[in-house]
């Protein structure tokens, strides 16, 4: 597996993966993904295995030295094989390289697998936002301070 930067021709594939990862109301439209990946303050890492995209992570730099994880998506057949960890390692290293202080993200209240994944990496729940997603699901805000 290797990581590479996003190319605009990846967009349909990232959209397909995001649709498979999340229910309607939490998944992004292709337009939203295009806006996130094209934003001048965002970074997108793409994980590839034998030329196939197996996961990706979009992060956006926010004011006050914060990196916001917009989304991390791993193709179901590739989960629990370290792809998500490699993507998060890359984002966290990027944040350290740019001397950021905090990484923050939202995750659906019922997404226990993701919450365990983040907790295992040192993220802690700091707030819960009711009706955060368009389908009414609440979100946990999770953060990790960078030393
Ligand atoms: C959450 C997600 C990104 C994790 O990616 P992954 O490639 O499976 O993660 P890794 O293999 O690197 O897992 C590292 C560790 O995190 C923990 N972990 C990961 N997924 C887990 C799960 N479903 N349940 C419990 N712990 C989990 C484990 O400690 C795991 O180590 P182990 O496999 O040795 O036990 C992936 O499940 C995913 O894309 N899910 C759908 C989209 C999603 O929910 N994204 C997050 C939105 S906020």
């Amino acid at each position: 597996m290797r990581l590479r930067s996003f190319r605009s021709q990846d967009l349909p594939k990232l959209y397909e993966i995001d649709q498979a990862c999340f229910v309607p109301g939490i998944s992004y439209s292709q337009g939203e993904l295009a806006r996130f990946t094209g934003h001048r303050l965002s970074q997108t890492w793409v994980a590839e295995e034998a030329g196939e995209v197996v996961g990706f992570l979009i992060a956006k730099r926010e004011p006050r030295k914060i990196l916001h994880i917009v989304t991390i998506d791993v193709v179901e057949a590739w989960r629990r094989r370290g792809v998500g960890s490699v993507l998060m390692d890359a984002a966290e290293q990027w944040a350290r390289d740019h001397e950021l202080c905090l990484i923050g993200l939202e995750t659906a209240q019922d997404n226990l697998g993701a919450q365990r994944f983040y907790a295992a990496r040192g993220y802690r729940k700091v707030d819960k936002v009711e009706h955060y997603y368009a389908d009414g699901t609440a979100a946990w805000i999770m953060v990790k301070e960078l030393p």
Side-chain angles (χ1 to χ4, degrees):
M1 203 250 307
R2 72 175 189 113
L3 284 193
R4 63 166 173 79
S5 310
F6 170 78
R7 305 176 195 128
S8 54
Q9 56 269 37
D10 292 323
L11 201 55
K13 187 67 190 174
L14 302 202
Y15 175 65
E16 182 191 314
I17 294 172
D18 194 69
Q19 289 289 304
C21 279
F22 298 103
V23 295
I26 294 187
S27 61
Y28 290 121
S29 68
Q30 198 155 335
E32 285 172 317
L33 285 175
R35 271 196 301 283
F36 290 134
T37 52
H39 196 284
R40 68 189 166 84
L41 297 178
S42 81
Q43 296 287 323
T44 302
W45 291 268
V46 174
E48 240 184 21
E49 175 67 36
E52 274 294 301
V53 177
V54 295
F56 68 96
L57 184 156
I58 305 173
K60 181 166 168 277
R61 191 181 169 151
E62 300 289 351
R64 294 195 289 181
K65 292 185 176 286
I66 294 173
L67 186 69
H68 178 220
I69 306 292
V70 175
T71 193
I72 173 169
D73 298 31
V74 175
V75 170
E76 192 166 10
W78 281 88
R79 291 184 196 156
R80 302 304 285 265
R81 292 162 80 169
V83 176
S85 298
V86 169
L87 288 163
M88 289 295 287
D89 286 347
E92 290 177 7
Q93 189 55 51
W94 189 91
R96 284 192 196 92
D97 291 346
H98 290 79
E99 299 179 351
L100 305 190
C101 300
L102 189 98
I103 303 185
L105 56 91
E106 301 81 34
T107 185
Q109 179 183 21
D110 55 4
N111 194 346
L112 301 181
Q115 288 164 35
R116 291 194 186 111
F117 170 71
Y118 294 127
R121 299 188 60 88
Y123 290 75
R124 61 190 171 83
K125 292 173 179 166
V126 290
D127 199 9
K128 188 173 164 191
V129 184
E130 300 295 343
H131 310 294
Y132 179 81
Y133 294 102
D135 70 348
T137 306
W140 280 109
I141 312 289
M142 298 183 78
V143 302
K144 178 177 178 173
E145 280 100 11
L146 299 177

